[in-house]
Amino acid sequence: MAKVFTLYLSTQTPAGSIYAPVDTNNFSIITWNINWDALYGGIGFKGEERMARVKFQIRSLSQSAILTDANNTGVLAIQGLSNQYSNSQNGLVLGMVEPATEPVGGGTNHVLIGESLETLGVQCNLPYGYAPISVLLKSRTGALMSGTTNYQLILQFEME
């Protein structure tokens, strides 16, 4: 039977709260310090293989008229999660993100969305103890996205 662990992160979590972002100066690269042992509910992984499939869902919390297909279509990657095919600079790529039209009052505002919850996910090594992760929003050119705003992110780890 699979074990599923879910981590909810928001760029608007107040400082001092559990899973508050470390720095929100650039929404395209946000770091969180995570107590992985607490997330797993005390399941010990020391000396054992710690593999899981990770899935995500992201949605920006603010609408923006400056999100464009050219600048804001790209990928969500995480530094601090890895597998044998990822590298530490680019992070582990979890999937695509893109702007979606969400008109307000007839405007042309957009939100940034992405999801892989309905897929198999990406295999990764599970961290343990206290370890940071950095969420990167990268454009199709590989650069950090411009114009990104506050967002909420769900990371779902599924172990066999």
Side-chain angles (χ1 to χ4, degrees):
M1 185 165 124
K3 297 176 184 116
V4 178
F5 304 98
T6 303
L7 180 60
Y8 170 78
L9 302 171
S10 172
T11 58
Q12 294 182 326
T13 300
S17 301
I18 189 168
Y19 304 133
V22 174
D23 181 8
T24 56
N25 286 329
N26 182 348
F27 292 114
S28 293
I29 181 167
I30 301 277
T31 299
W32 280 271
N33 288 320
I34 307 295
N35 180 345
W36 295 98
D37 292 342
L39 176 68
Y40 306 141
I43 295 174
F45 290 120
K46 308 289 191 285
E48 300 175 22
E49 189 166 345
R50 304 167 316 275
M51 301 297 290
R53 293 198 167 273
V54 61
K55 305 171 186 182
F56 81 100
Q57 181 180 55
I58 189 171
R59 186 178 195 286
S60 58
L61 298 173
S62 307
Q63 299 169 342
S64 174
I66 62 171
L67 292 176
T68 66
D69 188 56
N71 292 332
N72 302 103
T73 297
V75 298
L76 181 141
I78 298 188
Q79 291 174 331
L81 296 180
S82 65
N83 65 25
Q84 67 267 29
Y85 305 110
S86 65
N87 67 54
S88 59
Q89 183 177 350
N90 292 331
L92 182 66
V93 175
L94 299 187
M96 294 286 298
V97 294
E98 61 189 347
T101 303
E102 188 168 286
V104 176
T108 58
N109 289 329
H110 297 81
V111 292
L112 190 66
I113 61 168
E115 179 175 4
S116 69
L117 294 179
E118 300 299 321
T119 69
L120 289 175
V122 176
Q123 189 171 3
C124 73
N125 300 312
L126 289 172
Y128 58 91
Y130 282 94
I133 59 169
S134 295
V135 176
L136 289 79
L137 298 172
K138 300 181 113 181
S139 71
R140 53 183 146 192
T141 65
L144 292 175
M145 285 185 184
S146 60
T148 55
T149 61
N150 283 301
Y151 60 84
Q152 61 186 10
L153 174 65
I154 296 169
L155 294 175
Q156 192 174 77
F157 300 90
E158 185 175 320
M159 291 175 33
E160 293 298 325

